[in-house]
């Protein structure tokens, strides 16, 4: 099933061409923010899949627009170790 299967906007953007044209971290950030909003999300997070001994989501984050307070609270509460999503990805 295509990732765009549930997309109900006016039509998917020419995503590949747009990605290939990105030239800076700021442009990547802006693209990811726009893409998240197209699917009804306010935030996004790109991360390295943490090893089982990793304790912090922040240390594995590559680019995100999550509020720093939220990311800090996530790490302080140790939620990475009990995350069903991360466990499934591993």
């Amino acid at each position: 099933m295509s990732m765009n299967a549930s997309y109900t906007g006016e039509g998917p953007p020419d995503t590949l061409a747009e990605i290939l044209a990105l030239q800076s971290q700021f442009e990547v950030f802006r693209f990811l923010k726009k893409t998240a909003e197209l699917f009804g999300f306010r935030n996004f997070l790109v991360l390295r899949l943490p090893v089982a001994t990793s304790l912090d989501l922040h240390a594995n984050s590559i680019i995100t627009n999550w509020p720093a307070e939220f990311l800090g609270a996530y790490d302080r509460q140790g939620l990475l170790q009990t995350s069903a999503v991360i466990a499934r990805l591993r």
Side-chain angles (χ1 to χ4, degrees):
M1 174 180 247
S2 167
M3 189 170 138
N4 288 334
S6 63
Y7 178 70
T8 59
E10 295 182 24
D14 186 2
T15 308
L16 181 57
E18 194 170 353
I19 290 170
L20 292 172
L22 300 175
Q23 296 184 1
S24 69
Q25 184 173 347
F26 177 72
E27 289 177 354
V28 171
F29 180 90
R30 192 171 50 197
F31 172 81
L32 291 172
K33 185 174 185 322
K34 180 182 77 173
T35 302
E37 290 170 353
L38 276 173
F39 288 92
F41 297 101
R42 290 181 295 187
N43 301 99
F44 66 87
L45 171 69
V46 177
L47 70 143
R48 289 177 293 278
L49 186 59
V51 296
T53 57
S54 184
L55 302 176
D56 296 325
L57 187 61
H58 177 73
N60 294 287
S61 173
I62 296 171
I63 188 168
T64 185
N65 70 341
W66 281 16
E69 304 81 29
F70 182 81
L71 201 53
Y74 191 96
D75 286 344
R76 280 191 303 280
Q77 294 181 31
L79 297 176
L80 185 64
Q81 293 78 24
T82 60
S83 169
V85 172
I86 297 296
R88 179 75 174 162
L89 288 172
R90 288 183 181 138

